[in-house]
Amino acid sequence: MRRYISLLLTFLFLFISFRIIAQMLTTKFENCMGGTMWDEGKGMIFSDNTYWIVGSTESDNGDISFNHGAWDIWFVNIDIDGNLISEKTFGGSYFDGGYVDIKKLNDSVFYIVGRTKSNDGDISYSPWPGPEGNYWVLQINNEGTILWEKVLGGSGIENMRDATVTDDGGIIALGLTTSDDGDISNPIGGWDLWMVKLNGNGEKQWDMTLGGIGDEEGGFGDTNLRRRVYGCR
């Protein structure tokens, strides 16, 4: 009986708390952006009193001023009331996007991470264009100008899963790979976790493969304000 009463009181407490929180939360703005095809938001940061959003788009109309072909990464800046300030697409004539996120280096410089199968347009060079796909890392300024970009991976498949900015201004990209060549210095087999570090100029500093002969999955987790790698088979 005491257990039943305790559970009932806990339920009532949570129910009342949720009702109070729901009443406190109000919609500040809402806005739909995109075109007539599929448009999808993936990541967002707040910087310089505006919101910066990245996602994927296959539209070439509406709010999308230009599409390189197929799917592009879409970079959008809105004000605190949800009004569109600027937008820009990044990509080539094939598929660009997949997992996409934006990371803040400072108020005027950001990283965009994603995936590309292209070897034209904004992709300056890819040794492995085609149906498989590789990591794609871009450093841009707040005007949407590409400061540098780099394709990473091998002749297999690379799927981006996460990224984190490092204290020296570089970036670590984490995801999955089936490659045993290219930038992968220590392939293991099957789908492996693959982590690669770039400095602030886009130069590769090191890479690490984690896993076994089976397939792995993983991402970064926040623990005590530090980013740690978690994976599972």
Side-chain angles (χ1 to χ4, degrees), residues 1 8 11 26 30 59 67 80 99 112 114 123 139 142 146 166 194 196 199 201-202 205 213 228:
M1 177 61 98
L8 180 61
F11 173 79
T26 57
E30 60 177 288
S59 299
N67 188 304
I80 57 174
Y99 168 89
I112 294 178
I123 296 88
Q139 188 185 88
N142 56 5
I146 298 176
T166 55
W194 185 50
V196 58
N199 65 18
N201 296 316
Q205 294 186 298
I213 59 173
R228 297 185 180 181

Side-chain angles (χ1 to χ4, degrees), residues 54-55 57 71-72 87 91 127 132 136 150 152 164 178 193 200 210 214:
V54 293
T57 182
W71 284 87
D72 282 346
E87 57 81 32
E132 307 300 352
W136 191 29
K150 192 175 186 70
L152 299 154
T164 187
T178 64
L193 286 174
L210 302 169

Side-chain angles (χ1 to χ4, degrees), residues 74-111:
W74 193 30
F75 175 60
V76 180
N77 181 213
I78 62 174
D79 64 22
I80 57 174
D81 296 315
N83 301 306
L84 180 65
I85 298 173
S86 64
E87 57 81 32
K88 188 173 184 178
T89 54
F90 301 106
S93 58
Y94 205 179
F95 175 92
D96 311 291
Y99 168 89
V100 183
D101 204 357
I102 183 169
K103 305 293 181 180
K104 178 180 175 179
L105 180 60
N106 54 53
D107 281 341
S108 60
V109 179
F110 315 126
Y111 284 107

Side-chain angles (χ1 to χ4, degrees), residues 193-211:
L193 286 174
W194 185 50
M195 184 164 49
V196 58
K197 167 69 164 62
L198 304 179
N199 65 18
N201 296 316
E203 300 165 336
K204 178 186 170 185
Q205 294 186 298
W206 54 261
D207 76 291
M208 178 184 297
T209 308
L210 302 169

Side-chain angles (χ1 to χ4, degrees), residues 73 96 111-119 122-128 133-140 146-153 158 160 171 173 182-183 194 196-207:
I73 292 174
D96 311 291
Y111 284 107
I112 294 178
V113 295
R115 190 166 181 256
T116 183
K117 298 182 180 181
S118 301
N119 192 27
D122 293 318
I123 296 88
S124 58
Y125 175 65
S126 173
W128 318 280
N134 305 110
Y135 291 3
W136 191 29
V137 180
L138 303 87
Q139 188 185 88
I140 65 170
I146 298 176
L147 304 180
W148 57 259
E149 53 79 31
K150 192 175 186 70
V151 176
L152 299 154
E158 278 75 48
M160 183 80 74
I171 190 166
D183 295 311
W194 185 50
V196 58
K197 167 69 164 62
L198 304 179
N199 65 18
N201 296 316
E203 300 165 336
K204 178 186 170 185
Q205 294 186 298
W206 54 261
D207 76 291

